[in-house]
Amino acid sequence: MQDLANRMAEKTADVVKALMKMGVMANATQSLESDTAQLVAEELGHKVTVVKDDDVLNDIKDFEDPDGSLIQRAPVVTIMGHVDHGKTSLLDAFRKSNVVSGEAGGITQHIGAYQINNNNKKITFIDTPGHAAFSNMRARGSKTTDIVILVVAADDGIKPQTIESIAHAKTAEVPIIVAINKIDLPGADPDKVRNELLSHEVIVEKLSGEVLDIEVSATEGTNLDKLEEAIHLQADLLNLKANPHRKARGSVIESKLEKGRGSVATVLVQKGTLKVSDIFVSGSEWGKVKALIDDKGKNIKQAEPSVPVEVLGFDSNPLAGDDFIVVENESIARKIAEFRSSKLQIQKNTVAKSNVEEMFAQINKGEATSLPVVIKTDVQGSAEAIENSITKLSTDEVKVNVIYKGVGAITESDVTLASSGKGFIVGFNVRALPHARDIAKRDGVDIKYYSIIYELIDDVKNLLTGLLKPDISENITGNVEIREVFNISKVGNIAGCMVKDGLISRKSQIRILRDNIVIHKGQISSLKRFKEEVSEVKSGFECGVMLDNYSDIKVGDIIETFEEVSTSRKL
């Protein structure tokens, strides 16, 4: 409000008064919707030009690269799995195996992503700290990962975080390669792992499925070459290509504040080539690339597609999953950053719709047909019972989709998974951790608590009933005969009618019947008794009817009035 008053060089009090006349109560620090702001500005005698999102964001619109410009790029791989199943050991083993390219000894890892190069075949690894970062990126709409490696210990089998990793990979629709680790240990049983994976719909090749599985030992270095081969094979199937001869676009993997260097972000270049002194926009931040540092801590001049680099030159820290786009000049960068920043401010000031409300809105538009749910319970038996009970409620139109089920308190990881899958969380005899509660509030994720299973099932049933399209039936309300047609210049044809049965209302939907055949369906634009506009005319009275955008009427035609009645369906 205050900004608007300043831009118009008007007193804030005058703008408040103008708004009050329009029935809007707002103070100087509140944000206004663009339509309201436009009306106020026009009311105070100013000319308004509405700036559309497209006008501002045209400079960063992506475009399809011509086929001739695309070249093969390295696959981007994320390693996921349960704690202490050997994820870090596997990463270290890969780093040590990188000696072939001329690097002596172990490589110091400076950033959360690095690239190995064996026999001129490159692979980029993202070392995500847990699943939260992985789903944070997805929740912000950035698809950074091409392949997920699921690390499972051969002596330990499937554990809660393994199941969580599978859920994340499936929701992201990313191919999985299973690395069965620790096969050198005495209690190792790889076949047990393969069978356990079946219950989570991961069918490996040995059991005639499509998921690649490799038995490895990170400490002994066994079969690492086979795992590398599997990654390249999967990458060939995905046919990963990018155009290096264009302005760079990428995604922020992580960011941190470092003493003496300021805000530093790890960026994965996805298209184009990123060069020092490029001007960029990232989320609602902008800046100029001061330096690029690779995963070995060396300063480099440029980074090509699939190369992860540390970028110096941010004013403040961007968020994981934010886009990173190189633009022409500073003025474009500043304009886009300001626009995005103001959008964020408006979002913060408006009440966020809960996920369930959004789901209803999507259903009404005909966009959504599933109800995504994350289930957390006190014991495993309850989780399975709840999953079975609520998936049975699925219909042909709307399906319940259990993204993940687990035991224990609701954590940040559950909230980010529900957020990226656009679902909600059900807590049965458990509560959310304080930090998870804050994130759920911020991201507008619904958490519903229950202690009685029947209440939970009834609530899901009611939700699904709300998602079912209602049955729509007709109720005929009146029958009107046209006895005279008056042609009035500049107005059109007006029907002089007699209401023979029921009533005709100004809001009625109508059908015109000629010889009992429907020739038009529409609405009434005017209904009069003598010269007065009326809301309805009952049986036995005469009236004048003008139809909306239709004038082909004759004496003897019948106007049938009806209303549509929608009835909620029950499961």
Side-chain angles (χ1 to χ4, degrees):
M1 271 269 301
Q2 213 157 17
D3 290 346
L4 182 65
N6 293 342
R7 294 271 174 96
M8 297 190 296
E10 299 276 0
K11 288 178 183 171
T12 312
D14 293 342
V15 181
V16 172
K17 275 180 200 167
L19 271 170
M20 285 168 97
K21 281 180 191 168
M22 292 159 59
V24 178
M25 303 299 283
N27 62 30
T29 55
Q30 270 177 304
S31 294
L32 295 177
E33 286 181 349
S34 58
D35 298 349
T36 316
Q38 190 178 341
L39 287 170
V40 172
E42 283 167 356
E43 180 76 19
L44 294 165
H46 294 270
K47 265 193 172 177
V48 175
T49 311
V50 179
V51 181
K52 295 194 175 104
D53 293 13
D54 294 350
D55 300 340
V56 179
L57 302 177
N58 257 339
D59 297 301
I60 57 166
K61 265 193 179 162
D62 201 4
F63 56 86
E64 284 295 315
D65 293 298
D67 283 342
S69 66
L70 298 173
I71 61 162
Q72 214 74 28
R73 67 169 176 82
V76 180
V77 178
T78 300
I79 295 187
M80 295 169 90
H82 193 67
V83 179
D84 202 31
H85 275 203
K87 297 192 294 292
T88 314
S89 313
L90 199 60
L91 288 166
D92 288 344
F94 269 121
R95 281 211 288 274
K96 283 180 190 133
S97 71
N98 199 17
V99 179
V100 185
S101 59
E103 292 291 334
I107 299 154
T108 315
Q109 190 193 342
H110 283 260
I111 58 179
Y114 63 92
Q115 200 170 54
I116 68 161
N117 183 355
N118 284 343
N119 308 324
N120 284 328
K121 283 191 162 186
K122 295 177 180 175
I123 301 172
T124 300
F125 286 100
I126 295 181
D127 187 7
T128 54
H131 319 301
F134 184 78
S135 43
N136 271 342
M137 288 177 196
R138 276 204 13 265
R140 293 201 183 90
S142 81
K143 188 181 182 302
T144 44
T145 307
D146 300 315
I147 301 164
V148 163
I149 292 185
L150 183 70
V151 180
V152 190
D155 63 333
D156 206 11
I158 306 293
K159 286 281 177 271
Q161 266 183 298
T162 319
I163 301 163
E164 210 172 299
S165 307
I166 295 168
H168 281 275
K170 280 188 176 173
T171 324
E173 294 175 0
V174 178
I176 298 172
I177 296 173
V178 179
I180 303 173
N181 194 17
K182 303 190 181 183
I183 55 159
D184 54 313
L185 294 181
D189 186 358
D191 287 330
K192 180 184 168 223
V193 172
R194 292 187 183 100
N195 291 329
E196 282 179 353
L197 284 168
L198 282 174
S199 60
H200 301 286
E201 293 168 31
V202 177
I203 307 161
V204 297
E205 274 192 333
K206 278 198 176 170
L207 301 175
S208 63
E210 289 181 0
V211 178
L212 297 168
D213 67 301
I214 316 291
E215 294 179 17
V216 295
S217 167
T219 48
E220 303 286 321
T222 317
N223 289 345
L224 285 184
D225 52 341
K226 284 188 180 173
L227 181 56
E228 211 172 308
E229 220 172 275
I231 294 169
H232 289 303
L233 179 65
Q234 190 69 60
D236 289 344
L237 290 172
L238 294 170
N239 193 21
L240 305 166
K241 289 185 174 182
N243 174 11
H245 311 293
R246 57 171 283 180
K247 283 190 171 56
R249 292 179 86 90
S251 190
V252 175
I253 291 170
E254 61 176 29
S255 66
K256 53 186 182 282
L257 204 59
E258 285 190 13
K259 208 173 182 182
R261 298 206 300 170
S263 291
V264 181
T266 303
V267 172
L268 177 72
V269 181
Q270 290 166 314
K271 292 178 180 181
T273 302
L274 179 62
K275 303 182 180 96
V276 173
S277 80
D278 274 347
I279 290 155
F280 63 84
V281 177
S282 181
S284 55
E285 308 294 332
W286 73 278
K288 186 175 182 178
V289 179
K290 291 175 185 166
L292 295 173
I293 298 158
D294 70 4
D295 54 347
K296 296 158 195 81
K298 290 179 186 167
N299 276 43
I300 53 172
K301 290 280 190 320
Q302 60 179 47
E304 293 180 342
S306 286
V307 174
V309 281
E310 272 190 342
V311 176
L312 272 68
F314 283 87
D315 282 342
S316 62
N317 280 23
L319 298 168
D322 273 351
D323 55 5
F324 182 94
I325 301 162
V326 172
V327 292
E328 284 285 342
N329 52 49
E330 282 189 20
S331 67
I332 291 173
R334 194 180 283 113
K335 181 176 76 174
I336 292 163
E338 278 177 8
F339 176 75
R340 285 177 162 187
S341 186
S342 64
K343 276 269 198 198
L344 269 176
Q345 203 54 46
I346 290 167
Q347 272 177 1
K348 278 180 190 171
N349 290 350
T350 51
V351 180
K353 277 186 183 172
S354 72
N355 270 38
V356 176
E357 276 177 56
E358 269 177 23
M359 242 175 274
F360 280 132
Q362 283 181 327
I363 294 293
N364 293 337
K365 289 183 200 162
E367 288 170 10
T369 51
S370 72
L371 185 71
V373 187
V374 171
I375 300 170
K376 286 304 282 279
T377 61
D378 51 345
V379 290
Q380 188 63 39
S382 302
E384 290 183 4
I386 290 166
E387 184 187 25
N388 291 338
S389 305
I390 64 176
T391 44
K392 277 179 191 163
L393 298 173
S394 298
T395 66
D396 293 340
E397 278 180 50
V398 187
K399 287 188 166 50
V400 176
N401 174 21
V402 176
I403 311 173
Y404 172 67
K405 65 174 193 294
V407 176
I410 296 163
T411 62
E412 295 159 52
S413 181
D414 300 324
V415 175
T416 47
L417 183 55
S419 174
S420 57
K422 295 192 168 47
F424 69 101
I425 301 170
V426 165
F428 186 76
N429 284 337
V430 293
R431 288 289 176 268
L433 298 172
H435 196 47
R437 245 193 335 260
D438 297 342
I439 293 172
K441 209 172 192 177
R442 183 195 73 197
D443 295 349
V445 174
D446 264 12
I447 301 178
K448 295 178 176 289
Y449 300 114
Y450 298 94
S451 53
I452 300 168
I453 199 161
Y454 303 113
E455 283 179 8
L456 188 156
I457 293 164
D458 286 347
D459 271 12
V460 174
K461 197 184 263 185
N462 292 339
L463 266 174
L464 285 173
T465 305
L467 302 186
L468 288 172
K469 291 190 177 102
D471 279 332
I472 293 169
S473 56
E474 273 182 15
N475 180 16
I476 292 167
T477 54
N479 193 292
V480 182
E481 185 186 355
I482 299 177
R483 293 194 169 174
E484 194 68 62
V485 176
F486 306 100
N487 185 279
I488 297 169
S489 59
K490 293 185 183 176
V491 176
N493 287 349
I494 291 177
C497 307
M498 166 64 82
V499 182
K500 296 182 78 179
D501 192 20
L503 60 88
I504 182 167
S505 157
R506 174 76 181 74
K507 292 175 183 171
S508 298
Q509 288 184 282
I510 57 109
R511 266 191 289 261
I512 296 177
L513 310 176
R514 189 172 292 164
D515 303 327
N516 286 324
I517 294 165
V518 177
I519 58 164
H520 173 69
K521 187 178 176 184
Q523 286 176 321
I524 297 166
S525 64
S526 175
L527 177 67
K528 293 191 174 182
R529 281 268 301 142
F530 303 109
K531 288 185 180 179
E532 295 296 313
E533 188 78 32
V534 289
S535 61
E536 63 175 44
V537 178
K538 291 186 175 164
S539 175
F541 291 96
E542 291 182 334
C543 59
V545 178
M546 187 174 172
L547 304 175
D548 199 13
N549 295 325
Y550 190 77
S551 55
D552 179 23
I553 46 176
K554 291 181 180 173
V555 175
D557 287 352
I558 300 290
I559 297 175
E560 187 176 78
T561 66
F562 66 94
E563 61 183 10
E564 285 184 343
V565 181
S566 72
T567 320
S568 296
R569 282 163 59 190
K570 294 276 183 275
L571 282 168

